[in-house]
Amino acid sequence: MLKCLLCDMLPALSLVIDYQEKGNIYHAWRVALVSRYLTGASGLDKNGVIFYSALLHDVGIFGVGEHIINYPDLSIQKETPAIKIHPAIGADIVKEIPGLARGADFILEHHERYDGSGYPQGKKENKILFNAQIIRLADSIDLLMRRRPKPDKEGIAQYCREQKGKEFSQKIYDIFSDAYKRDGGEFLLAIDEDEKVKSVFSGVIKSVPEPKANISWDSLETILKIFSRIIDGKHHYTHQHSQRVALYAHDIAEAMGIDKIEVRKIKFSGYLHDLGKVAIPNYILDKPGPLSGEEWKIIKRHAFISYEIADSVEALKDLAPLVGAAQEFWDGMGYPGGLKGQDIPLGARIIAVADAIDAMLSDRSYRKALSLEKAIDELKKGSWSQFDPLIIRVALRLLYSNKWRLKK
Ligand SMILES: [Fe+2]
Ligand SMILES: [Fe+2]
Ligand SMILES: [Fe+2]
């Protein structure tokens, strides 16, 4: 399951970052592909660290309403605090990923520019890491391909010529120019639309070595926590929600005497239970007030999308049934499958209770947090209808003992 952790998880993580209201924009995938185009033949990225860092270069952007590709202007990027800080947040996150620690510095400097006009530090010339400059160039090529009218390959080559000594060094330009001479710019043509990026990516990643790392369950959990931060960053009222759900679900499962491997699976699914929300427009998630019928239909889709995303990642396949069924009700009135009672996977029933506990005890866009007493009342009321009564009994025991140190 953990044989190829980064090659399996990081493309998925970067897709989650790139989910937009209109669909996926494949920004990270294209920046990684262009980085590979620049470094592949010359052996500059023997251990794959540049490729995988490129894949996560904008991981620090979550929580900003719009993706950074919607801020093409450098001065606006520098004046927007959440944008200006994204390289530093990204570096902090990536530092934790096994095998990618060195890539954190490339990410920190991926918006520095050779002439010193970049950010966050305004570094200049060869003070900027070479590999960060590779990602800088790849990032700009992605933005160029989004312009309308779209420049052709010669237009991209011309842009790169014009930017040497400004955005990046002569040496970086030479690397671009060598790659371009080798294939006449054909690779750029092959990835100039989102759909094309999708198909090229799965072939290219097979040729990229995975950075050497000690792969363990802890490593997987580190990456799942990053997933949960991005999912929760999607809207304002859910800071650390998924991490708390994972913790509550873990403790409930443990108190029920479930075996260790299954408990871990339940905890890991807790991190991802809202995964599908990344595909739901923010105007619905953040709506201060009741949702219309149509909006409910859209929001209900998230359960199935959660399943689909988890199921498409080898390392997460086992979790998909739990993640996808966390909105089912004990009495069969939930979604997406209308499953009933024991037909709902046990882990999903536990996550449903953990999710409700945290939802009730947190402020939401349409109401304030409930008191602990009120939340306990609601859980009791939901027993047999929304929730598995046995799980509610265990959860109440933990709540009464104040295991999670919740405010009364
Ligand atoms: Fe960026
Ligand atoms: Fe970017
Ligand atoms: Fe949730």
Side-chain angles (χ1 to χ4, degrees):
M1 178 189 177
L2 292 173
K3 242 191 292 161
C4 184
L5 183 69
L6 303 190
C7 80
D8 200 19
M9 297 284 280
L10 301 191
L13 180 60
S14 54
L15 278 189
V16 167
I17 299 166
D18 282 348
Y19 258 108
Q20 298 287 286
E21 292 187 6
K22 291 185 214 92
N24 211 292
I25 56 168
Y26 299 98
H27 171 66
W29 282 24
R30 183 149 62 196
V31 173
L33 285 176
V34 177
S35 298
R36 193 67 191 163
Y37 174 63
L38 299 173
T39 60
S42 50
L44 278 168
D45 191 22
K46 279 198 194 73
N47 52 20
V49 174
I50 302 177
F51 178 85
Y52 282 97
S53 306
L55 210 45
L56 293 189
H57 74 285
D58 279 335
V59 69
I61 205 73
F62 60 86
V64 182
E66 279 195 272
H67 198 285
I68 183 168
I69 62 153
N70 299 313
Y71 297 80
D73 188 285
L74 178 63
S75 56
I76 295 180
Q77 288 180 16
K78 283 160 74 172
E79 283 160 16
T80 310
I83 300 278
K84 196 172 175 195
I85 205 173
H86 86 274
I89 295 180
D92 255 5
I93 292 173
V94 167
K95 214 165 52 193
E96 306 296 323
I97 299 180
L100 268 197
R102 278 192 311 126
D105 292 332
F106 314 157
I107 290 178
L108 178 64
E109 298 187 3
H110 82 273
H111 281 282
E112 301 292 358
R113 294 164 62 97
Y114 194 71
D115 62 8
S117 65
Y119 65 94
Q121 289 166 292
K123 283 194 173 182
K124 223 174 165 172
E125 298 169 4
N126 22 7
K127 290 269 182 306
I128 309 169
L129 288 172
F130 184 80
N131 294 340
Q133 286 259 285
I134 299 258
I135 299 175
R136 176 71 257 117
L137 171 57
D139 201 6
S140 282
I141 288 180
D142 173 87
L143 293 182
L144 268 180
M145 288 179 179
R146 290 177 197 282
R147 275 193 199 160
R148 294 295 177 266
K150 187 171 61 188
D152 55 13
K153 55 184 185 167
E154 283 83 19
I156 293 171
Q158 191 194 337
Y159 173 88
C160 292
R161 247 188 328 273
E162 286 165 9
Q163 288 301 317
K164 67 180 166 196
K166 297 180 190 159
E167 190 171 351
F168 38 78
S169 64
Q170 171 76 42
K171 208 162 162 211
I172 296 285
Y173 172 72
D174 292 344
I175 287 171
F176 169 81
S177 148
D178 285 349
Y180 193 89
K181 271 183 215 143
R182 258 192 310 270
D183 77 339
E186 282 307 306
F187 187 76
L188 298 174
L189 262 186
I191 57 165
D192 69 352
E193 295 290 347
D194 292 354
E195 278 307 307
K196 297 187 195 168
V197 169
K198 225 163 110 181
S199 57
V200 173
F201 187 85
S202 50
V204 168
I205 194 168
K206 288 191 194 116
S207 71
V208 181
E210 170 149 327
K212 289 211 173 5
N214 226 346
I215 302 302
S216 64
W217 290 110
D218 286 348
S219 323
L220 177 58
E221 186 165 3
T222 301
I223 299 177
L224 288 173
K225 279 189 188 163
I226 301 171
F227 266 92
S228 78
R229 283 178 71 177
I230 291 164
I231 297 163
D232 293 343
K234 260 299 254 189
H235 68 137
H236 309 305
Y237 285 88
T238 52
H239 183 58
Q240 292 188 343
H241 164 69
S242 301
Q243 282 203 44
R244 288 190 298 269
V245 170
L247 170 74
Y248 300 164
H250 167 273
D251 290 354
I252 296 170
E254 206 174 53
M256 290 174 74
I258 293 171
D259 83 73
K260 268 197 177 141
I261 296 175
E262 195 62 23
V263 170
R264 181 170 56 211
K265 200 168 129 184
I266 294 170
K267 183 184 194 189
F268 285 5
S269 304
Y271 288 119
L272 299 180
H273 77 284
D274 277 336
L275 187 54
K277 282 198 179 160
V278 297
I280 306 294
N282 270 338
Y283 79 90
I284 299 182
L285 289 178
D286 290 335
K287 189 172 174 186
L291 300 174
S292 71
E294 196 45 43
E295 287 165 345
W296 258 116
K297 249 200 237 154
I298 296 175
I299 226 169
K300 280 182 169 177
R301 277 212 323 253
H302 92 264
F304 188 67
I305 300 172
S306 299
Y307 175 86
E308 271 190 330
I309 301 176
D311 190 56
S312 68
V313 182
E314 209 38 54
L316 303 179
K317 252 192 192 332
D318 271 6
L319 313 182
L322 274 62
V323 168
Q327 315 293 329
E328 300 288 3
F329 282 18
W330 180 253
D331 63 7
M333 300 304 283
Y335 61 91
L339 298 178
K340 203 171 171 175
Q342 313 265 359
D343 289 345
I344 309 166
L346 175 62
R349 280 179 266 149
I350 293 176
I351 292 167
V353 173
D355 190 19
I357 294 174
D358 189 62
M360 288 192 284
L361 295 174
S362 315
D363 289 337
R364 287 292 159 101
S365 50
Y366 48 90
R367 59 146 174 80
K368 283 264 169 221
L370 271 55
S371 68
L372 190 52
E373 287 68 25
K374 181 87 182 113
I376 286 174
D377 262 8
E378 291 296 317
L379 288 172
K380 284 182 186 161
K381 268 192 231 156
S383 187
W384 294 102
S385 53
Q386 186 170 353
F387 308 118
D388 178 337
L390 174 71
I391 297 170
I392 289 292
R393 245 193 292 158
V394 176
L396 290 180
R397 197 158 24 95
L398 296 175
L399 282 168
Y400 287 131
S401 70
N402 203 9
K403 161 123 185 141
W404 300 307
R405 303 190 185 288
L406 302 166
K407 272 189 253 127
K408 302 249 165 155

